[in-house]
Amino acid sequence: MKHIIGIDLGGTTIKGGLIEGQNMVEEEVADTRAAEGGETTFAVLKDIICKLKTDETRAIGIGVPSVVDRAKGIVYHVQNIKDWDEVHLKRMLEEEFHVPVHIDNDANCFAKGERIYGLGRNFENFVGITLGTGVGGGIIQKGNLLSDANCGSGEFGEIPYLDGILEQYCGSFFFINNYNTTGYEVARKAEQNDKKALEIMHEYGKHIAVLVKMIVLTVDPQAIIFGGAIANSLSLFKESMYGHLIDFPYPNSIKNLKIVKSELNHPGILGAAALCY
């Protein structure tokens, strides 16, 4: 069986996996060495691919935390990796490994991965949202990623909101900036019925409801699939989220909308691999 390599290239770690059919059969993880950036990070990436590549490898998919020229495979302005302002990643890797290389934004990869491997198989039109340090989004329409001009659609976290942007209220900075703690710690205490933690999760659900409204008003999908670390706590803020959706001007849109949590393991790797389909 032919293999695909999926790479989740983050600002802290690079995670790679060898995909056989629907399964990841091997994994490699390394420090991105982002502060050194440039050729150093590229060398780490190459080393991971070398360890995973077999004679049966037919393609490489890479998800990056930035915008991408999909056709040319050029990565622009990766803020968390030094000197990655314009990297011709597709050309460089194809010259090195002699297989097709496909590159996209990491949130788009998450949505694509859900469509190929996860709950997105049940929907033709949905939005995948990652709730982590940032809030990224990928839009699937008619079974495929939305064909946009600059790889920037779905970035709902950048929408202005209150005194900042939605990402500051729907990502991990909500817990850090407002309560000097982590989403994981709040969730742990909320599961033990800690009153203050439950109140924080209730407030967080209010902000997530605004995110849902923005998505429905712009895309009107069949479903929203949440991924990322904070999504694991969906049960703790779901009631508050729906409570703050009661005033939505088009109630049938909310009634028909499915809001679910991703069930994928290694979604970043699988999502990158899905670019090769």
Side-chain angles (χ1 to χ4, degrees):
M1 182 178 289
K2 293 182 178 180
H3 295 160
I4 293 172
I5 293 174
I7 302 288
D8 182 8
L9 200 165
T12 303
T13 58
I14 301 177
K15 302 175 183 177
L18 185 63
I19 311 301
E20 184 179 281
Q22 299 285 309
N23 301 308
M24 188 172 77
V25 296
E26 190 175 343
E27 182 182 11
E28 292 286 339
V29 180
D31 190 311
T32 305
R33 297 175 69 177
E36 298 169 69
E39 294 182 3
T40 302
T41 295
F42 183 64
V44 174
L45 174 61
K46 284 198 302 180
D47 184 59
I48 285 181
I49 294 173
C50 284
K51 291 177 179 177
L52 293 170
K53 191 174 182 294
T54 73
D55 291 339
E56 296 296 312
T57 300
R58 68 176 180 86
I60 300 169
I62 303 178
V64 297
S66 190
V67 294
V68 178
D69 182 324
R70 295 186 184 102
K72 297 179 180 179
I74 303 173
V75 178
Y76 292 103
H77 308 298
V78 183
Q79 296 182 12
N80 295 323
I81 302 178
K82 183 181 178 182
D83 298 329
W84 272 45
D85 296 322
E86 182 178 324
V87 182
H88 293 243
L89 199 56
K90 176 181 173 69
R91 174 180 57 77
M92 294 161 68
L93 291 176
E94 288 183 344
E95 289 177 354
E96 183 78 23
F97 295 105
H98 309 291
V99 296
V101 175
H102 306 272
I103 306 171
D104 209 324
N105 171 270
D106 53 1
N108 284 339
C109 287
F110 169 68
K112 182 74 171 179
E114 284 294 333
R115 176 60 180 165
I116 298 295
Y117 299 106
L119 297 175
R121 287 177 290 188
N122 301 319
F123 307 105
E124 286 292 304
N125 302 284
F126 71 90
V127 175
I129 295 287
T130 55
L131 300 175
T133 303
V135 176
I139 301 170
I140 298 290
Q141 288 195 330
K142 297 182 179 179
N144 296 301
L145 277 170
L146 180 68
S147 180
D148 55 8
N150 299 295
C151 193
S153 61
E155 295 299 322
F156 298 100
E158 297 295 327
I159 294 175
Y161 176 58
L162 298 180
D163 59 347
I165 57 176
L166 268 173
E167 183 170 277
Q168 294 170 301
Y169 291 88
C170 297
S172 60
F173 287 114
F174 167 76
F175 303 98
I176 296 169
N177 292 341
N178 294 291
Y179 299 102
N180 196 30
T181 186
T182 64
Y184 173 81
E185 187 63 22
V186 173
R188 187 184 67 81
K189 291 181 178 179
E191 288 170 348
Q192 298 172 351
N193 289 319
D194 179 270
K195 183 179 178 181
K196 180 62 176 178
L198 289 169
E199 289 175 354
I200 293 172
M201 277 299 179
H202 186 275
E203 183 183 355
Y204 180 73
K206 177 181 69 175
H207 300 306
I208 291 293
V210 175
L211 173 61
V212 170
K213 290 176 183 179
M214 296 293 188
I215 293 169
V216 176
L217 287 170
T218 53
V219 184
D220 194 18
Q222 294 170 283
I224 297 173
I225 303 175
F226 284 125
I230 303 175
N232 292 326
S233 303
L234 177 61
S235 62
L236 296 173
F237 60 82
K238 190 173 184 178
E239 183 178 352
S240 171
M241 175 188 72
Y242 275 113
H244 287 92
L245 290 172
I246 292 175
D247 62 348
F248 193 72
Y250 310 113
N252 274 349
S253 295
I254 300 301
K255 178 182 177 182
N256 296 328
L257 179 68
K258 306 294 184 184
I259 301 177
V260 295
K261 178 178 73 69
S262 173
E263 297 176 354
L264 282 180
N265 293 319
H266 311 292
I269 294 173
L270 288 172
L275 297 175
C276 302
Y277 286 87

